[in-house]
Amino acid sequence: MLIYLLRRFNLLVSTLLLLTLIAYGLEFRLLQQGEGDFWHGYWLFLQDLLAGDFGVSSATGLPVLGALGQYFPATLELCLAAFVISLVVGVPVGTLAAVRQGRWQDTLILTGTLVGYSVPVFWLGLLLVMLFSLHLGWLPVSGQLSLLYDITPVTGIMTIDTLLTDHPHKWESFVDALRHLVLPALVLAIVPTTEVIRQIRSALLDVLKQNYIRAALTKGFSDTHVVLRHGLRNAFPMAIPTLGLQFGTVLTSAMMTEIVFDWPGLGRWLVTSISLQDYAAIKGGTLAIATFTIVASVGMDILSTLIYPIRRKAIYASQG
Amino acid sequence: MRFWLCWLTALLLAGCDGSDRQLAKESLLYCAEGAPLTFNPQLAASTQTLDATAHQLYDRLLDINPVTLQPEPALALSWHRSDDGLRYRFTLRPGVQFHHTAGFTPSRPFNADDVVFSFQRLIDGNHPYHAVSGGHYPFFDSIGLSGLIREVRALGPREVEFVLSRPDASFITNLATDYAVILSAEYGAQLLAAGTPALLDQQPVGTGPFLLAQYRIDDFIRYHRHPGYWRGEVALAQLVFDITPKSSKRLAKLLTGECDVMAHPGASQMAVIKSHPELVLDQATGMNVSVLALNTQKPPFDDVRVRKALALALSRDDILQAVYFGIGSAAESVLPPVSWGYHPNLLMPLPDAARARWLLAQAELADGFDMTLLLPAGARSFNPDSLKTGQLIQRRLGELGIRVRLQSLEEQILRRELMAGEQDAVLTGWSADNPDPDNILHNLLSCQAIATGTNASRWCHPLFERQLAAALTAPNLSERIGYYHRAQEIMQLDMPLIPLNHTLKQQAHRRTVHGLQLRPYGGVALRQAWKE
């Protein structure tokens, strides 16, 4: 296990180093026009990054690190909500598709996933805003929380901050934060949900072919019992690593979702910084997002191996 | 499970309850089109900055009465002009309190020191605050305030005297503009002692109806009621500027009630706003102009024939219909017809492509040329859609073989470009800050305004300058009008910029909001607003 962890850690560090090298290389070419010693400059750049110095935003005159700290939690909140939705919806639907393999339910679900996967995020977002906000008036158009509520950010995750506050309108603001979260989280959840459905379906189909499932069925257990108790329990760990990779996709879609819904997260901040030609912010934001994606994906990998140690053996076996 | 689902759905769909309604009643959500560049209007000439700061945070010595358009007392109770027109003495209002904020607790009410501090900063290059936050005061620099005011001094705690270097008829109205705000000298001294003078413009302290509670950059500004406001308590406990650059999103928020007031609705949205039972559209005569400014210091625009050819190529009526949906009028001069300095007999030439081609051929540019047209991103009070205007100009000039590249820039970057002065042409304009014609002419066309970037044509004409200067010292109004007429004639002969359109000032709000004032000039004032 230790060797496995070391390998993963090694991968993490080398990818991050490569990333900083690319970031610095671009800066060196574009901003400094290739003057000075590259490697010495890179070393100083790394030192700054390790010390948490991402530079100062030219638009606001404030440290980029502070802005990252301010906007990142909102993006995280959105992504986590979307992830939860994708699991809550995806696992049962994927299971249903596997159990009803080849029948009309399966076909319908597979068609649905294909459509969901192909729908452009911003278009879907606008459609939902038209329907639920403008036409029906059920949910707010944009933002993270109604600006009526003067909530001091603690974690930056509004659904938590509204509960931590001693504001007289604590509960109303919590409900309001949830209402604001619904549409963007639903839109963002579309792509990962289709992925969860497909992964669970294929993993479950593999498991259902196994002998122990047949044995369980011959023992007289009901279909539902066998699928839930034996099938899903064994299929789930197989699906986790691929689901972990989804976090990167979710983060990318989050950028677009944040713009459609004016969600005050990293994505919207990054796009504004680009329009303001704020290089320090662009560099800091890109590095932060890339770092987070890499860390999340390696983290999920390690997590799935901890839950499902056979995977580790599979890796070693394949490496001979 | 079903119970929980029902409960959660009900919770999510539930609107406001009783206590929430009280909170909503005391709060006004104003959807603004852009973020302020600073919290001190002395430092900026952008509408967004004026809207967000000038009347919410600060007061001036004088205000302009919205009906009579005459100056009236504000922080100054009365004023007296000496017979030679060189000395102005102001008696100040007693007992006016500055904001108490997290960083500052005032020890005394407003007095003459604050007036001296606020104006010394602008005119005295050696003042410790003069260079803080960039040292540019676009409006005051362009009207040459530092050359005009020779001295400003306190004659007592409640008396201030301004000594001018020459008589200036627009001096009093300029003191009533949104830019002439009064800052706290005591706060300035405290920040200077702490070594953080720049906070004066970022964490403002004024005497206005609201104080700054929170600013999340490019996102929102939260103001709280100033408890000791001298004009009496404000109805709103909280005022929030929700920064929403897209006008479609502002309208969507207005429709769902996430905004109470919407700044600068697009012309295409008028029908929706008018047909909606819960919305009200306010319109007021706008003292504004949108112009195509050509850089007269750069070839080929240094040639008057080229500038005239461009003016002949454009159709101001097309722009009026396509961009303004007919709301407004085609400009015949930079001054709008409502201005008392407007020249009624001066007309812009009608579109004439053949003559434009001939002029270009005269300038040896028969094959056309390449140019870049800079556009401000987002809506402006004088132009709801710069990109569309730019595209119309691009098409028209294309017919003459002039290849126009459009470049849309954010306010901050555009300002930087204009100060550098390397641009070919820019789509810009001006919203008047007071009823005086000098305000528009000086800011758009004077030599002084080149350095501040508001004269984007970089045109400096001695004869024109002489008219402006003479108008300011003219003994009576009819003579002043004569000078302004001549100034407009000179401008049109040389055509450094092409006046395009004037438009109405517009704002939409929900029917529950009352007490809004849409002034023909300057930023919005929300202190009298209240909600049902």
Side-chain angles (χ1 to χ4, degrees), chain B residues 170-339:
Chain B
S170 67
F171 179 65
I172 281 290
T173 37
N174 280 336
L175 285 196
T177 54
D178 292 0
Y179 307 98
V181 294
I182 302 299
L183 314 170
S184 163
E186 192 186 2
Y187 183 48
Q190 179 189 311
L191 292 178
L192 206 58
T196 52
L199 292 185
L200 186 73
D201 308 316
Q202 292 159 12
Q203 294 173 8
V205 165
T207 58
F210 299 98
L211 53 90
L212 180 69
Q214 189 188 3
Y215 175 43
R216 201 150 140 174
I217 294 162
D218 288 332
D219 204 356
F220 67 86
I221 313 165
R222 190 185 302 281
Y223 298 107
H224 288 167
R225 172 199 288 153
H226 175 192
Y229 188 51
W230 60 274
R231 279 184 168 114
E233 192 168 86
V234 188
L236 299 172
Q238 171 171 247
L239 167 67
V240 184
F241 269 61
D242 182 353
I243 297 156
T244 315
K246 277 212 172 83
S247 74
S248 55
K249 192 155 270 175
R250 288 203 297 281
L251 180 62
K253 285 182 170 184
L254 188 71
L255 287 166
T256 57
E258 288 165 76
C259 276
D260 296 310
V261 185
M262 169 195 186
H264 306 299
S268 58
Q269 299 167 337
M270 293 301 135
V272 181
I273 295 171
K274 282 180 183 163
S275 68
H276 200 284
E278 284 175 38
L279 304 186
V280 180
L281 179 71
D282 302 319
Q283 288 183 320
T285 318
M287 286 275 279
N288 57 41
V289 63
S290 109
V291 304
L292 172 64
L294 307 165
N295 188 347
T296 55
Q297 293 184 355
K298 200 175 172 188
F301 308 104
D302 54 349
D303 187 334
V304 64
R305 290 170 296 190
V306 176
R307 301 200 292 267
K308 291 209 160 162
L310 261 59
L312 283 164
L314 300 182
S315 164
R316 289 158 306 130
D317 282 320
D318 279 2
I319 297 175
L320 184 68
Q321 293 311 322
V323 179
Y324 297 83
F325 287 68
I327 299 162
S329 57
E332 305 295 348
S333 161
V334 283
L335 291 183
V338 286
S339 167

Side-chain angles (χ1 to χ4, degrees), chain B residues 13 37 51 78 133 139 151 183 198 231 315 342 368 395 398 422 441 458 460 490 517:
Chain B
L13 294 181
L37 300 177
D51 282 351
S78 61
S133 309
F139 177 76
E151 197 184 352
L183 314 170
R231 279 184 168 114
S315 164
Y342 178 71
R395 208 185 62 206
E422 293 297 318
L441 293 172
R458 305 180 77 77
C460 183
I490 297 164
Q517 244 183 28

